[in-house]
Amino acid sequence: MLNYRAQAILKREIKQQIFSKKFLIMTLAIPVFMLIMVGVQVFISTYDREELATLHIVNESESFQSLIRSQIGSSEFNNTELYRLQYELIAAADIDSYINQQRPALLRGQLTGVIFIPDSAREDKKISYYSSNPANQILLGRVREQVNSAVIGEYFDKLNIDPAAIEYARTNISIDGIRISKEGNTTLNPGNLVIAFAFTFFIYISLLSMGPAVMAAVNEEKTSRIVEVLLSAVTPQELMYGKIMGTAVAGLAQMAIWISPVIVLSLISLPALAMMNTLDFDISVLNILYFLLNYLMGLIAFLSIFAAFGAMFDTPQDAQGSMMPVTMLIIIPFFLAFSLVRNPANTLAEVSSMLPFATIMVMPARMTLIDVPLWQLLVATLVNIATIYCCIRGGAKIYRITILMTGKRPSWAEIWKWLRYE
Amino acid sequence: MQALEVRHLCKSFGTLKAVDDVSFSVSQGAVFGLIGRNGAGKTTTIRMMMNVFGPDSGEILYHGNKTGEEFRRKVSYLPEERGLYKKMKVIDLLNFFLEIRGIDPAKVKTRTHEYLERFSLDDRIHTRIEDLSKGNQQKVQFIAAILSDPEVLVLDEPFSGLDPVNTGLLKDIVMELKQKGKVIIFSTHLMELAERMCDQIALIHQGKLMLNGSLSDIKQQYSQRNITLVHEGNLAFLTGHPLVESVNDYGNFTGIRVKHANDVQTLLQLLVFHKIVIKKFDANDISLQEIFLEVAGDNAVAVAAPLFESNDSALPKMTDISE
């Protein structure tokens, strides 16, 4: 298929792609962008939890106050050093005037909130929280937990129940997710979720950048009429295959660079990494090989479609205007792949991981999270091969017919007619 | 044997018959001019010869064999609509065009540099195409076309947009290639240039071949009964004169055609009688431009028709355009 002429085209295409500024920027910027995204998420979640707060804890009676104080004092709540607590004794009748007195500090934010725990809370478990932002769920959750513990503790103390029994009652159910695989049972590594996300994201970004790049390159050849000189030396098929293969090689190189950390870490386990629980993951070589092969096949299929679109239209703007259905073939699988992260074994995930186009993004994400039966991987590969075949054949037909055609934008009916040409 | 033969080429785009049964042949070592008005079908004919697309019917033979894969290696093409990869460097681009023709750039390095030097581009080797002037881009494209040392060189309007110095340089190189026995085909609407460079011509009008043959034969044929006149004075008295078939003012000169060959002397007497100052009176001479205007001009049918009266078999082939 690739004779010396197609090879010359391919060589030029690889050079043009790899030595372009865009390629360099994409190769470096995308991992940085991903790191920033992860970093921002981590930052937001820690920021959520650890906000500095000044609280007044108000009781009616000294006995209840000491109970609450000892409960809070022995809890993690106090150890974060992010909460400045001040205990007050106020009668229920005076609480309103106390709040009025504190109002300026509350509004200025010097005082985060006032928690009023009346003696009646022992019976009805009702307390009040005064704040300019009473919706702070994290803070409320902590307060609720501590006050409840104190009240329950006191209640059961009076009933003379064994503290061990109380402890038992208090302990919540803890679930350990255990991943069943042929090799045995392992706990599901949260790192694999990150990898599944990264795999999906990388394919998505790569298809959305490489596809339009090849489309623009084909369109440039068409509008600048270089194609005329080229076609005097090479056939349209050779030209298209050369371009697609060249871009695919460049794409594969970029992808290999992107996932190189995953490859390195899957082959050797660094002791330093074992300490970082959250980044621990479990990826096999088969996983990575399948990922790259699958990506290459998906890329070639999409590039044929994009190349045909580049040939069909007179300007890149016209081409972009009609790209919607093709872009959908990339975007929908992207969201499918994301949704299956919640439950990678559901039927939608299973079926879509073997559908044309969808499989390109869904299968790599799915096999990162669960053990996919071998037959499904084979089916997905066959589907990919069939997809490539159809896309290249159809793409080459349209390319050959339209690359020298100028004038009005082709209609979908015309495209369909061309596809059926022999 | 003719080197390149084009036989009964037809090509339609929708309802438009762009090329309609065009046949001609080109000899080895000849410069062949394909002339015609804009939209006549020259470029379509060339594109079919270049395999850019196939004809609806007809065939192209090179040394008696149908052109195919082998022909692609031997032919080079400079299209009318110039295009180059803007982001590539001059040397990379030239090497790429060699590679698609299966030639190792390293082996023709000397030739590459010779041509770049001749076109004063040797200091721009590593310049990106987009940073070159339009004229320089055109020179690069011409070098790209001839660098592979093709047996057949097809140039579509090669001189458009070039200054006189570069036009001269290009012409010199074309003539050198002719000396080397290459087949050179170029299309142009610059009749003066075609007249100076071409050995053979084919004139295409509205998709049909109107004239084909050696330039000297064609000129001889058309120059009969034709007088090229440079004069001062009013020639109005000639219009409708029983001796005269047509009078055409071409600005610098006037072309007059008389009805019978022996009327030439009478015409000269007539001019003297009417006190016309004659600066040049050239009997049996015609410029290619006149032939072109006769055959493909707006009044082509009226003027060309009487010429078919002659049944001389040595006449260039002509097609009736009165349909």
Side-chain angles (χ1 to χ4, degrees):
Chain A
M1 188 164 86
L2 292 180
N3 55 16
Y4 69 89
R5 299 189 293 251
Q7 277 170 30
I9 306 273
L10 179 140
K11 228 173 77 186
R12 195 200 81 88
E13 210 57 42
I14 294 177
K15 258 196 219 162
Q16 289 296 296
Q17 294 274 1
I18 289 188
F19 293 117
S20 75
K21 265 190 213 130
K22 191 188 155 208
F23 185 86
L24 188 73
I25 292 170
M26 284 287 287
T27 309
L28 296 178
I30 292 299
V32 171
F33 176 71
M34 282 208 52
L35 281 179
I36 290 174
M37 262 174 47
V38 172
V40 164
Q41 240 161 10
V42 170
F43 176 75
I44 288 172
S45 58
T46 46
Y47 189 81
D48 260 4
R49 243 173 269 142
E50 312 290 341
E51 195 169 2
L52 193 68
T54 308
L55 293 173
H56 285 187
I57 296 173
V58 180
N59 283 97
E60 284 178 288
S61 66
E62 218 166 306
S63 64
F64 201 15
Q65 186 182 57
S66 65
L67 178 72
I68 299 288
R69 197 196 274 256
S70 74
Q71 170 66 36
I72 289 177
S74 68
S75 74
E76 198 189 328
F77 188 72
N78 206 28
N79 298 336
T80 56
E81 289 182 8
L82 283 166
Y83 294 93
R84 285 200 209 106
L85 305 177
Q86 189 183 326
Y87 295 92
E88 300 283 347
L89 274 175
I90 310 280
D94 297 335
I95 188 69
D96 285 342
S97 64
Y98 178 75
I99 294 299
N100 276 335
Q101 187 193 327
Q102 299 296 335
R103 193 180 301 274
L106 279 166
L107 288 176
R108 276 200 304 272
Q110 284 168 332
L111 182 58
T112 313
V114 174
I115 301 163
F116 179 52
I117 309 171
D119 287 348
S120 60
R122 285 183 166 121
E123 276 81 46
D124 59 13
K125 289 197 176 180
K126 277 184 180 159
I127 65 175
S128 308
Y129 177 59
Y130 300 86
S131 173
S132 58
N133 173 27
N136 188 337
Q137 291 302 321
I138 295 153
L139 183 63
L140 289 186
R142 287 196 175 245
V143 169
R144 182 184 293 121
E145 191 188 323
Q146 298 309 320
V147 175
N148 199 30
S149 289
V151 178
I152 291 174
E154 194 188 42
Y155 182 77
F156 282 113
D157 270 352
K158 277 190 232 152
L159 294 177
N160 281 325
I161 291 176
D162 178 13
I166 299 169
E167 194 49 44
Y168 173 77
R170 276 182 180 167
T171 309
N172 208 338
I173 291 290
S174 130
I175 303 178
D176 288 334
I178 294 169
R179 181 181 164 178
I180 306 294
S181 66
K182 264 179 241 136
E183 291 77 31
N185 303 345
T186 48
T187 47
L188 173 62
N189 284 308
N192 278 36
L193 276 174
V194 175
I195 301 292
F197 165 74
F199 276 4
T200 311
F201 184 73
F202 282 148
I203 296 177
Y204 174 74
I205 285 291
S206 177
L207 290 181
L208 277 188
S209 74
M210 288 287 166
V214 106
M215 185 174 83
V218 167
N219 202 256
E220 185 207 347
E221 282 172 1
K222 178 180 181 172
T223 47
S224 71
R225 313 304 296 175
I226 307 166
V227 71
E228 256 188 80
V229 187
L230 296 177
L231 290 185
S232 71
V234 307
T235 67
Q237 280 83 355
E238 286 161 358
L239 180 55
M240 192 181 115
Y241 294 157
K243 284 198 95 62
I244 289 175
M245 294 305 167
T247 312
V249 170
L252 194 64
Q254 187 171 60
M255 186 59 78
I257 294 170
W258 282 346
I259 68 160
S260 57
V262 181
I263 298 176
V264 171
L265 295 178
S266 73
L267 295 177
I268 45 167
S269 58
L270 294 174
L273 242 103
M275 283 150 69
M276 298 162 68
N277 256 343
T278 46
L279 260 178
D280 197 14
F281 54 80
D282 168 31
I283 297 284
S284 68
V285 177
L286 172 78
N287 243 339
I288 288 167
L289 287 181
Y290 181 85
F291 171 78
L292 287 175
L293 179 74
N294 161 83
Y295 163 72
L296 184 64
M297 292 195 289
L299 186 61
I300 291 172
F302 272 110
L303 289 181
S304 331
I305 300 177
F306 276 101
F309 268 79
M312 254 189 282
F313 295 93
D314 287 357
T315 65
Q317 288 79 9
D318 280 354
Q320 245 134 31
S322 300
M323 283 312 297
M324 199 51 162
V326 184
T327 321
M328 278 297 143
L329 286 180
I330 299 175
I331 293 175
I332 293 171
F334 177 67
F335 286 113
L336 271 174
F338 257 67
S339 70
L340 73 82
V341 167
R342 279 189 76 84
N343 182 3
N346 71 29
T347 317
L348 179 67
E350 195 168 337
V351 171
S352 64
S353 72
M354 288 177 282
L355 286 181
F357 300 111
T359 175
I360 295 160
M361 265 181 268
V362 178
M363 188 56 99
R366 197 172 153 239
M367 73 184 290
T368 311
L369 299 175
I370 59 167
D371 260 16
V372 175
L374 192 63
W375 71 265
Q376 292 192 355
L377 288 182
L378 290 176
V379 168
T381 306
L382 289 177
V383 165
N384 272 335
I385 290 171
T387 311
I388 286 186
Y389 177 78
C390 294
C391 288
I392 281 200
R393 252 187 82 93
K397 269 185 200 174
I398 289 179
Y399 185 90
R400 176 169 53 84
I401 295 166
T402 56
I403 190 71
L404 286 166
M405 207 182 256
T406 53
K408 66 179 181 62
R409 296 169 54 157
S411 66
W412 287 106
E414 276 173 298
I415 295 172
W416 178 240
K417 190 182 79 188
W418 294 330
L419 281 173
R420 286 181 306 156
Y421 276 172
E422 263 321 297
Chain B
M1 189 167 65
Q2 299 286 8
L4 192 69
E5 279 179 83
V6 169
R7 286 186 184 168
H8 306 293
L9 280 192
C10 288
K11 181 83 182 176
S12 297
F13 297 110
T15 53
L16 175 77
K17 273 203 157 180
V19 174
D20 190 0
D21 194 26
V22 167
S23 302
F24 56 82
S25 53
V26 188
S27 323
Q28 195 82 45
V31 176
F32 185 92
L34 198 57
I35 58 178
R37 297 174 66 171
N38 296 332
K42 293 174 300 206
T43 299
T44 307
T45 306
I46 286 176
R47 283 179 180 171
M48 286 188 280
M49 293 169 69
M50 288 297 92
N51 253 320
V52 170
F53 46 63
D56 295 340
S57 62
E59 56 183 2
I60 296 136
L61 304 178
Y62 184 64
H63 290 302
N65 300 316
K66 271 196 98 166
T67 56
E69 287 301 289
E70 260 314 289
F71 187 63
R72 282 185 192 275
R73 281 176 187 262
K74 295 175 179 162
V75 69
S76 208
Y77 175 37
L78 178 75
E80 181 185 7
E81 292 177 81
R82 307 291 143 72
L84 294 165
Y85 291 110
K86 298 211 159 32
K87 302 273 174 209
M88 280 181 99
K89 289 176 182 166
V90 171
I91 189 72
D92 293 340
L93 188 100
L94 292 177
N95 289 344
F96 169 68
F97 279 116
L98 285 170
E99 280 174 5
I100 58 172
R101 296 201 151 79
I103 297 166
D104 180 4
K107 286 188 181 147
V108 293
K109 212 173 154 187
T110 338
R111 200 196 306 160
T112 310
H113 286 271
E114 269 170 23
Y115 275 126
L116 284 168
E117 218 164 290
R118 279 187 80 174
F119 278 99
S120 326
L121 285 169
D122 44 335
D123 55 338
R124 313 301 294 271
I125 290 175
H126 297 291
T127 308
R128 280 168 184 250
I129 298 294
E130 60 187 353
D131 297 329
L132 291 177
S133 70
K134 257 213 144 125
N136 278 341
Q137 289 186 17
Q138 206 169 330
K139 289 195 266 179
V140 170
Q141 195 162 17
F142 181 71
I143 298 174
I146 58 175
L147 204 51
S148 61
D149 197 26
E151 289 178 21
V152 180
L153 181 63
V154 179
L155 309 165
D156 200 353
E157 298 284 358
F159 303 103
S160 68
L162 282 183
D163 63 48
V165 176
N166 285 313
T167 304
L169 184 56
L170 209 85
K171 214 182 81 198
D172 290 348
I173 292 177
V174 169
M175 287 308 169
E176 277 169 35
L177 293 171
K178 174 195 152 121
Q179 295 301 318
K180 285 192 196 167
K182 311 281 181 194
V183 175
I184 297 154
I185 298 167
F186 77 90
S187 86
T188 184
H189 52 252
L190 301 174
M191 291 307 128
E192 225 178 294
L193 221 88
E195 191 162 0
R196 268 187 285 153
M197 288 177 68
C198 294
D199 308 302
Q200 298 171 303
I201 61 158
L203 197 160
I204 296 178
H205 185 56
Q206 295 176 346
K208 292 192 170 95
L209 185 76
M210 307 298 292
L211 282 176
N212 175 27
S214 82
L215 186 63
S216 52
D217 285 354
I218 290 172
K219 281 185 79 163
Q220 200 187 354
Q221 181 56 43
Y222 273 78
S223 62
Q224 286 174 10
R225 299 186 286 120
N226 200 77
I227 295 104
T228 302
L229 176 72
V230 182
H231 73 287
E232 270 173 31
N234 193 349
L235 292 180
F237 63 92
L238 286 179
T239 314
H241 194 280
L243 285 181
V244 177
E245 187 181 291
S246 65
V247 179
N248 286 300
D249 188 356
Y250 296 110
N252 295 334
F253 64 92
T254 306
I256 303 166
R257 175 162 289 146
V258 291
K259 285 186 177 162
H260 301 284
N262 46 13
D263 286 339
V264 175
Q265 293 306 312
T266 326
L267 175 74
L268 185 56
Q269 287 172 357
L270 203 64
L271 290 170
V272 173
F273 179 78
H274 279 90
K275 304 228 165 22
I276 298 295
V277 183
I278 298 165
K279 294 186 169 169
K280 183 181 172 193
F281 184 91
D282 215 336
N284 296 334
D285 183 53
I286 193 164
S287 68
L288 187 58
Q289 177 162 354
E290 278 177 272
I291 300 175
F292 182 84
L293 287 170
E294 269 191 34
V295 179
D298 291 331
N299 304 319
V301 178
V303 179
L307 280 165
F308 290 106
E309 285 167 11
S310 166
N311 276 327
D312 191 338
S313 57
L315 268 182
K317 189 193 167 204
M318 283 188 211
T319 318
D320 187 9
I321 54 156
S322 56
E323 63 178 44

